[in-house]
Amino acid sequence: MATVLEPSLAPPPPPEEPALFKRPTETTGVWGWITTIDHKRIGIMYGVTSFVFFLLGGIEALLIRLQLAQPDGTILSADAYNQVFTMHGTTMIFLVVMPLSTAFFNFLMPIQIGARDVAFPRLNAFSYWTFLFGGLFLYSSFLLGGAPNGGWFGYAPNTSVTFSPGHNIDFWVLGLQILGIASTVGAVNFITTILNLRAPGMTLMRMPIFTWMTLISSFLLLFAMPIITIALFMLMFDRNFGSQFFDPAGGGNPLLWQHLFWLFGHPEVYILILPAMGMVSEIIPVFSKKPLFGYPVMVFASIAIGFMGWGVWVHHMFATGLGPVAISAFSISTMFIAVPTGVKIFNWIGTMWGGSLKFTTAMLFAIGFVGMFTIGGLSGVTHAVSPHDRQQTDTYYVVAHFHYVLFGGALFGIMGGIYFWWPKIFGWMLNEKLGKWNFWTWLIGFNVAFGPMHLLGLQGMPRRIYTYGEELGLNFWNTVSTVGAFLIAVSVLIFMWNVAKSKRERVVASADPWDGRTLEWAIPSPVPAYNFAEVPTVHAVDAFWHEKYDEDAEGRPVRRDTAPPAGSGLASEMGDVDASAIHIPSPSYYPLVASAGLPLIAYGMVYGRTSGQNYSLAVLGAIVLLGGLYAWALEPSTEPHDDHHDEHAEAEVVPALEPATTGDGEEA
């Protein structure tokens, strides 16, 4: 008897993906971190990795200061000193300050604009792994025959094969190219995210000031990194393939390297400092109980700095004989860039003026930033005066100046940001008493270490020397400077002790421990994977503040009767939302796989030059890179059995924030 088959109403099973292209599903444990594409986890990984590099760069700084503490120092040989001071500068610029800022960009910016993720989550993971591999590649040079030794500026033809035949400079050239890829793709991701994924109602002029600094810094990165990349490619071709871009004997021009390097190098200063300015601009209003004074002016001053930063690079080259017209033009432009910078300083002071100041550790670091950066800025203006600059060039005065700008500015701001956002990131508080010990030892150590360098420079001490004779009379201030450097090291140990002690005691942080103003304080601490249960609608600058506060007849903030209880955040209004229905992109292996090909290419280029032009290892690295990118393109956008809807396509927008007033008290 024939069997009759009943028609089935069940949908056909989804097609099986090849095992190779299945996306991982682990979100916990080590594997969960390795395959994560969550912007918050990537931000934490950026922060932890760059802090480890900060410790390495700090150890190198202590070695430099020990060597110079006394005349005729013997701690390091001349070659070892060159390696240590080159790696100190390279580390602090490319492996510490830039990625520490990127850590904050990753973690905070999507939340501040009310987004659930960045625009390209896998590209974000690729950026992190490329940064990590670039750093490891650079530091592997210590184990493979010698670290880069041509200074963080790598002046050619000093870095050509003729004067530096070893592999030291090859590691520097290739390592910076890998790091440049990480920075460039990160910048593209941040710009796209900010321009496309802002919450409804968040116009550009309602964005938090830190997000503005993220946007401007990312544009600077996007246009600056190709310049140094071109210079590095040219140097690589000079070293590997016999071209003559920078060798005068072959028709090249060493000034070309300086132009390319400083055309990148001076915008780079603002890439380093603008994020810290953004952090300080968030901290000071919160602990002054006032809105940021002149928010639109601060935004346009920052944009002006971003533009004008491209027109000042030649003040690094006044001593190269460029002629009076060029020197006059760049003297004027260097003076002018102090104007928008000064505007920002006045606005920070204006914010604090008449405010109800609360001197938390974060606020102390922010105030320290304003003071130290002002000193660094004023000494920078002296570089605009060409005759003065010619006396300062290549002396310790310049070393003092850029440490006051980049350490006194960027790192003070970042430390303030760490104390400010730590509860939001990890869900527990840092100890305030230890934090203040951290700040005061940091501030005193910083000034003892770098203040005397102004005097050493005026006494004529050249920079980049590994020793000096006693007859020069430089030993006293060098000893003082070394004492200051070790006091900074003590301060770093206090910070690490603070983290360990606070983690053990684990004082749980509320959602809004500082009475914050921006959207990140509206959601729980630590932040859930989906950020916002429902995407908020924004009606004003400092949107969360206006949900909590109104103004009385005299313009003083008055807490609304309908405001949520302190610390509850908007999460209390979202309790009915099914968080499991929120789409979170699946993790992925392939950003890591693709990134792993880059150091292989770099090792192949380093050793190919001295192995008879055998670049087979570089070819293998290219295969790994392209294979990773190919699999990345073919893997499904999410797990095939994931029924979660696409939040970007179907987001139900609920006006979670009450209509309120603008930062100036006007109706939004």
Side-chain angles (χ1 to χ4, degrees):
M1 189 172 68
T3 301
V4 178
L5 297 177
E6 295 290 334
S8 172
L9 298 178
E16 280 291 324
E17 291 289 339
L20 185 62
F21 298 131
K22 282 188 175 179
R23 296 183 73 146
T25 55
E26 286 290 331
T27 57
T28 58
V30 174
W31 198 241
W33 283 88
I34 289 175
T35 60
T36 188
I37 57 172
D38 180 349
H39 72 94
K40 297 178 288 297
R41 285 190 164 195
I42 292 171
I44 292 171
M45 292 197 298
Y46 254 113
V48 171
T49 306
S50 50
F51 185 77
V52 171
F53 283 124
F54 172 68
L55 296 179
L56 293 173
I59 292 169
E60 289 156 358
L62 294 179
L63 288 173
I64 293 169
R65 287 316 316 164
L66 280 174
Q67 170 70 15
L68 296 175
Q70 294 293 320
D72 304 313
T74 56
I75 302 291
L76 298 170
S77 66
D79 183 52
Y81 181 87
N82 285 343
Q83 294 181 38
V84 168
F85 104 84
T86 299
M87 286 301 290
H88 169 70
T90 303
T91 299
M92 287 302 184
I93 298 288
F94 296 100
L95 298 176
V96 177
V97 179
M98 283 176 69
L100 272 176
S101 299
T102 305
F104 284 94
F105 294 169
N106 264 297
F107 193 97
L108 285 176
M109 179 271 291
I111 306 174
Q112 286 198 329
I113 63 172
R116 290 211 175 104
D117 209 332
V118 292
F120 308 114
R122 286 180 293 177
L123 194 65
N124 208 20
F126 176 79
S127 171
Y128 167 73
W129 291 114
T130 303
F131 152 65
L132 175 63
F133 287 135
L136 293 177
F137 172 79
L138 267 171
Y139 268 85
S140 71
S141 61
F142 278 112
L143 306 175
L144 297 173
N149 55 2
W152 82 277
F153 37 83
Y155 281 162
N158 184 48
T159 46
S160 67
V161 173
T162 305
F163 301 104
S164 184
H167 289 307
N168 314 60
I169 298 301
D170 294 320
F171 277 99
W172 186 78
V173 169
L174 274 302
L176 290 196
Q177 290 187 56
I178 295 175
L179 294 172
I181 293 171
S183 299
T184 303
V185 298
V188 169
N189 209 354
F190 296 138
I191 291 169
T192 310
T193 301
I194 293 171
L195 296 183
N196 290 283
L197 296 186
R198 282 171 286 134
M202 180 164 281
T203 61
L204 288 177
M205 292 308 290
R206 288 176 181 165
M207 289 198 311
I209 195 76
F210 177 75
T211 299
W212 260 111
M213 296 307 109
T214 306
L215 182 63
I216 297 169
S217 302
S218 298
F219 270 114
L220 283 173
L221 264 172
L222 190 62
F223 292 110
M225 291 310 299
I227 299 172
I228 187 68
T229 302
I230 289 168
L232 291 168
F233 261 101
M234 293 163 75
L235 184 56
M236 183 180 76
F237 270 77
D238 273 10
R239 293 182 61 82
N240 284 47
F241 304 113
S243 60
Q244 304 286 334
F245 289 111
F246 306 115
D247 184 1
N253 187 345
L255 277 186
L256 175 61
W257 172 268
Q258 293 197 39
H259 278 297
L260 289 172
F261 184 82
W262 290 116
L263 187 52
F264 150 81
H266 211 84
E268 170 71 6
V269 172
Y270 303 106
I271 291 169
L272 298 173
I273 197 69
L274 282 171
M277 288 179 170
M279 295 175 201
V280 168
S281 301
E282 299 282 7
I283 295 169
I284 289 177
V286 168
F287 296 116
S288 301
K289 294 287 182 187
K290 288 176 62 183
L292 182 64
F293 179 72
Y295 165 85
V297 176
M298 289 288 268
V299 170
F300 287 112
S302 304
I303 295 172
I305 290 172
F307 275 108
M308 297 171 72
W310 293 97
V312 297
W313 86 90
V314 169
H315 75 237
H316 293 272
M317 302 168 59
F318 279 167
T320 57
L322 292 176
V325 174
I327 288 175
S328 300
F330 284 94
S331 290
I332 293 169
S333 65
T334 304
M335 290 178 190
F336 275 171
I337 202 168
V339 175
T341 307
V343 166
K344 292 170 79 77
I345 292 170
F346 281 115
N347 280 25
W348 289 318
I349 295 171
T351 305
M352 289 186 278
W353 192 273
S356 178
L357 302 185
K358 187 176 181 181
F359 294 102
T360 61
T361 305
M363 184 65 164
L364 289 174
F365 271 107
I367 294 172
F369 165 93
V370 176
M372 298 305 103
F373 179 73
T374 301
I375 295 172
L378 289 173
S379 63
V381 173
T382 65
H383 300 320
V385 183
S386 177
H388 198 281
D389 180 83
R390 290 176 189 228
Q391 297 300 313
Q392 300 162 359
T393 292
D394 289 338
T395 72
Y396 255 73
Y397 186 93
V398 178
V399 180
H401 158 69
F402 70 70
H403 278 90
Y404 266 83
V405 171
L406 297 184
F407 195 131
L411 284 177
F412 268 71
I414 289 171
M415 284 302 293
I418 289 173
Y419 276 94
F420 186 57
W421 280 294
W422 187 279
K424 180 56 59 183
I425 296 170
F426 295 105
W428 43 275
M429 306 292 291
L430 286 174
N431 184 291
E432 273 293 298
K433 185 176 180 182
L434 280 174
K436 286 170 182 171
W437 274 101
N438 179 194
F439 169 73
W440 287 111
T441 49
W442 185 282
L443 180 73
I444 296 169
F446 168 80
N447 282 288
V448 172
F450 300 111
M453 290 183 185
H454 291 103
L455 302 174
L456 288 168
L458 294 174
Q459 285 180 268
M461 178 173 171
R463 63 196 293 197
R464 304 161 190 159
I465 60 167
Y466 88 103
T467 189
Y468 54 89
E470 187 163 9
E471 70 279 4
L472 296 176
L474 303 172
N475 49 321
F476 175 74
W477 288 119
N478 270 303
T479 303
V480 171
S481 183
T482 301
V483 171
F486 275 85
L487 190 53
I488 295 172
V490 170
S491 181
V492 174
L493 291 176
I494 293 172
F495 170 72
M496 294 169 67
W497 171 242
N498 192 355
V499 171
K501 184 174 185 293
S502 301
K503 187 173 189 297
R504 191 170 61 248
E505 295 175 350
R506 200 171 281 271
V507 176
V508 176
S510 66
D512 186 20
W514 312 121
D515 198 12
R517 309 180 70 88
T518 42
L519 286 180
E520 70 269 27
W521 305 108
I523 54 178
S525 304
V527 180
Y530 47 84
N531 292 355
F532 295 90
E534 295 186 17
V535 177
T537 298
V538 175
H539 298 275
V541 179
D542 292 344
F544 185 47
W545 174 266
H546 291 295
E547 190 202 14
K548 297 183 294 183
Y549 289 91
D550 203 345
E551 292 181 349
D552 63 15
E554 298 179 2
R556 293 172 299 195
V558 178
R559 196 169 183 91
R560 291 173 182 264
D561 295 334
T562 57
S568 64
L570 292 181
S572 61
E573 301 177 3
M574 299 176 173
D576 296 335
V577 174
D578 179 12
S580 65
I582 300 172
H583 169 74
I584 303 294
S586 299
S588 176
Y589 305 103
Y590 294 111
L592 170 61
V593 173
S595 298
L598 292 170
L600 289 178
I601 296 173
Y603 284 119
M605 295 302 296
V606 168
Y607 291 103
R609 178 174 66 82
T610 52
S611 58
Q613 303 291 318
N614 178 1
Y615 293 103
S616 54
L617 184 58
V619 173
L620 175 63
I623 292 171
V624 173
L625 171 65
L626 294 175
L629 295 176
Y630 181 72
W632 177 343
L634 289 188
E635 72 175 350
S637 60
T638 187
E639 274 297 283
H641 300 296
D642 185 355
D643 296 328
H644 297 166
H645 63 279
D646 187 329
E647 153 264 334
H648 293 313
E650 304 177 30
E652 295 179 9
V653 178
V654 174
L657 300 179
E658 294 292 327
T661 56
T662 66
D664 298 327
E666 298 175 354
E667 193 69 25

